[in-house]
Amino acid sequence: CLTFLTRKEALIKTRDVFATFAHRNFDCSIWLSLTKTALFHPMLYIRYFFGDFVIFKYLAKAWFFSSRQILFGPTYKIWIPIPSKSTHMDSDCISPGCDWRKVIGEKAKEWDHNYSIRDPKKENRITTTTTTEKSENVSSREARG
């Protein structure tokens, strides 16, 4: 993912952490290491190891790829608009505060209205009929002429 808004200076300061994404780090692990959220609560590791292994992997990868940032780097804040301005297209990660099914349905209707899809078979048939009619008209004029 990694779609976000930031200043150039902040991106330069955190370049090493973001570079870990190219080495199969998760975006969530990057955000955890920059915000240092929940990284110093040992009981969470145990809870997530047995309860929600995906979150455990986020925590583990944050430490694996960015332990220097977690231990010695500054803590950053992430600001999130509520209601959200966008969402993931994965049903497990839908942003809260918005009826996304309704928004998507309205946009789909708008798209259908503005950009209706034409059936190429029907267009070809119309073109063929028009071409045939023109040929017949030319032939009848030549026969009369």
Side-chain angles (χ1 to χ4, degrees):
C1 279
L2 292 182
T3 304
F4 55 93
L5 179 68
T6 188
R7 292 185 325 269
K8 182 179 178 181
E9 298 82 27
L11 196 56
I12 290 169
K13 288 178 186 175
T14 57
R15 174 186 4 202
D16 293 339
V17 176
F18 282 107
T20 64
F21 190 74
H23 300 286
R24 302 181 58 93
N25 194 4
F26 296 132
D27 57 346
C28 184
S29 301
I30 291 170
W31 301 123
L32 288 171
S33 66
L34 291 172
T35 62
K36 301 183 182 187
T37 302
L39 293 173
F40 297 104
H41 300 286
M43 292 307 292
L44 286 179
Y45 292 87
I46 295 167
R47 183 173 129 199
Y48 289 132
F49 183 80
F50 293 107
D52 191 344
F53 197 72
V54 172
I55 294 177
F56 177 79
K57 286 191 331 188
Y58 294 156
L59 295 167
K61 280 196 170 197
W63 280 101
F64 179 78
F65 285 106
S66 304
S67 55
R68 191 170 5 142
Q69 159 60 30
I70 294 167
L71 294 173
F72 306 113
T75 301
Y76 292 88
K77 293 185 181 196
I78 297 177
W79 301 94
I80 303 164
I82 298 176
S84 179
K85 302 294 181 194
S86 63
T87 189
H88 289 274
M89 296 302 289
D90 178 2
S91 62
D92 292 336
C93 299
I94 298 290
S95 299
C98 183
D99 184 357
W100 289 107
R101 290 187 189 277
K102 181 180 175 186
V103 170
I104 292 168
E106 288 171 358
K107 289 295 179 186
K109 285 178 187 174
E110 180 183 316
W111 188 83
D112 282 344
H113 177 72
N114 293 332
Y115 306 100
S116 59
I117 299 172
R118 293 177 181 86
D119 185 357
K121 292 179 183 176
K122 289 181 181 176
E123 286 181 10
N124 288 341
R125 194 171 339 126
I126 292 169
T127 305
T128 305
T129 306
T130 307
T131 306
T132 307
E133 287 175 359
K134 285 181 183 176
S135 301
E136 288 174 4
N137 288 339
V138 170
S139 300
S140 11
R141 276 191 234 142
E142 289 173 357
R144 282 186 267 158

